Amino acid sequence: MTQIPIMGDGLPQPLLEMLGAEFEVLAWDDAPDSPALARAEAIIAYGHPQVDGPMLDRAPQLKVISNHGVGVDHIDVAAALQRGIPVGNTPGCLDAATADMTMALMLATARNVVVGDQYAHSPEFLHYDPAILIGQEVTGSKLGIVGMGRIGKQVAKRAAGFDMQIIYHNRHRDSSAESDYKAEYRSLDDLLAESDFVALNCPLTPETTGLISGPQFAMMKSSAILINMARGPVVDPAALYTALSTGQIAAAGIDVTDPEPLPRGHELLALENLIITPHLGSASNRTRERMLRMTVENLHAGLQGKPLPYSVEQN
Ligand SMILES: O=CC(=O)O
């Protein structure tokens, strides 16, 4: 059987099993003279590899790019479409998992889960002390959601269960969020000034790059907690360090960093009021299964020249 050459690095075993013997999986190689690029009929973008126009020019056989994940900021989508190469992603299936993780970071930062865990593991924990590690109550607090898309709405749904007052900022007002979760629209500045918790759930675009920087931290309450489940570059890392180390805000929980991962010795790694998780937003068993299935469905459709079932153009 002639195998179809596709590029994909670090593909997990379940995905390789779904692909089966039909495909020859070539190691990711974007070198100018890459034999893989010259032969590849498809790219599976797994783990956010960079895909740009010059790279696509060296891949004349390419019929489809299938991205494992919803965010496509690492792919030059316009360059792909210009060259007639459709780009697929996995929207929708990871909204609940990412919203769960937003709540997890919110609760963990507010209630000292990580510091508390370290203390409880240490020999210093000798008896129950009601005076220590008193956190902020999530229930009933005001949550500002930046980006009221599919994930933002799932966060609002969960926050409503915690009796949180929800305000949001988005490119457009969203009547369903307003009616379903009593979310009130705010300008970004007003949202930052009012919120006890700010949850970033927006995509990374030129407009959201550096959205939260020095002036924005200055508007926030000193008791505020920032949660970033979006992308690292939405928050300026130097400004985040200043805000956390000078008490401009109380704490932050971030699932994404800029750069990612942070290099050893990076100043942010030394902060006790910062919880960092390694890009786990969609990392739940059921969500991963759905993401793999959608990735493979897009791959098959693209190779057959059919419209992609989950195309970035419809997102
Ligand atoms: O970051 C993960 C995704 O974009 O799906």
Side-chain angles (χ1 to χ4, degrees), residues 162-284:
F162 279 78
D163 294 332
M164 297 185 92
Q165 301 168 57
I166 300 163
I167 56 179
Y168 76 102
H169 180 73
N170 198 41
R171 269 169 306 176
H172 321 285
R173 284 185 71 148
D174 190 297
S175 54
S176 71
E178 294 186 12
S179 58
D180 294 351
Y181 310 117
K182 299 195 181 62
E184 292 176 20
Y185 184 81
R186 294 284 190 278
S187 68
L188 181 61
D189 292 3
D190 286 348
L191 178 145
L192 294 169
E194 281 180 44
S195 298
D196 298 311
F197 295 87
V198 174
L200 304 176
N201 293 106
C202 53
L204 178 65
T205 63
E207 293 75 43
T208 63
T209 301
L211 187 70
I212 307 297
S213 188
Q216 288 69 39
F217 282 116
M219 290 174 202
M220 293 172 71
K221 295 181 183 177
S222 57
S223 56
I225 293 181
L226 176 75
I227 306 298
N228 186 6
M229 292 299 302
R231 284 288 188 264
V234 175
V235 178
D236 179 86
L240 176 64
Y241 178 79
T242 303
L244 288 170
S245 58
T246 63
Q248 237 173 355
I249 66 168
I254 61 176
D255 189 47
V256 284
T257 57
D258 178 25
E260 190 173 294
L262 293 173
R264 272 170 175 275
H266 192 284
E267 57 186 4
L268 284 173
L269 294 173
L271 294 174
E272 244 195 17
N273 55 350
L274 174 66
I275 295 179
I276 310 175
T277 47
H279 206 131
L280 297 181
S282 57
S284 77

Side-chain angles (χ1 to χ4, degrees), residues 31-298:
D33 54 353
S34 160
L37 269 173
R39 291 176 57 216
E41 294 186 27
I43 289 176
I44 295 187
Y46 185 87
H48 296 182
Q50 293 293 325
V51 179
D52 58 19
M55 177 179 171
L56 296 174
D57 286 336
R58 301 196 303 275
Q61 313 294 331
L62 205 63
K63 297 192 177 76
V64 61
I65 300 169
S66 181
N67 183 58
H68 176 269
V70 67
V72 286
D73 44 280
H74 51 292
I75 299 175
D76 188 339
V77 173
L81 298 180
Q82 255 168 27
R83 290 161 178 76
I85 302 164
V87 182
N89 65 344
T90 64
C93 72
L94 44 69
D95 303 343
T98 308
D100 287 354
M101 195 65 190
T102 309
M103 298 308 291
L105 284 183
M106 210 184 300
L107 289 160
T109 43
R111 298 299 302 277
N112 296 309
V113 170
V114 173
V115 180
D117 172 70
Q118 286 159 358
Y119 178 65
H121 275 86
S122 80
E124 281 154 50
F125 179 39
L126 297 175
H127 58 87
Y128 164 52
D129 181 353
I132 62 161
L133 295 176
I134 296 169
Q136 295 191 39
E137 190 146 308
V138 172
T139 297
S141 295
K142 191 177 271 196
L143 170 64
I145 300 176
V146 178
M148 191 53 93
R150 284 179 300 250
I151 295 171
K153 281 189 194 138
Q154 288 292 319
V155 173
K157 183 177 178 183
R158 284 155 180 72
F162 279 78
D163 294 332
M164 297 185 92
Q165 301 168 57
I166 300 163
I167 56 179
Y168 76 102
H169 180 73
N170 198 41
R171 269 169 306 176
H172 321 285
R173 284 185 71 148
D174 190 297
S175 54
S176 71
E178 294 186 12
S179 58
D180 294 351
Y181 310 117
K182 299 195 181 62
E184 292 176 20
Y185 184 81
R186 294 284 190 278
S187 68
L188 181 61
D189 292 3
D190 286 348
L191 178 145
L192 294 169
E194 281 180 44
S195 298
D196 298 311
F197 295 87
V198 174
L200 304 176
N201 293 106
C202 53
L204 178 65
T205 63
E207 293 75 43
T208 63
T209 301
L211 187 70
I212 307 297
S213 188
Q216 288 69 39
F217 282 116
M219 290 174 202
M220 293 172 71
K221 295 181 183 177
S222 57
S223 56
I225 293 181
L226 176 75
I227 306 298
N228 186 6
M229 292 299 302
R231 284 288 188 264
V234 175
V235 178
D236 179 86
L240 176 64
Y241 178 79
T242 303
L244 288 170
S245 58
T246 63
Q248 237 173 355
I249 66 168
I254 61 176
D255 189 47
V256 284
T257 57
D258 178 25
E260 190 173 294
L262 293 173
R264 272 170 175 275
H266 192 284
E267 57 186 4
L268 284 173
L269 294 173
L271 294 174
E272 244 195 17
N273 55 350
L274 174 66
I275 295 179
I276 310 175
T277 47
H279 206 131
L280 297 181
S282 57
S284 77
N285 49 0
R286 286 197 289 270
T287 294
R288 280 284 181 266
E289 265 174 52
R290 287 191 290 262
M291 289 170 74
L292 292 181
R293 208 175 51 238
M294 291 166 84
T295 305
V296 173
E297 283 177 35
N298 275 334

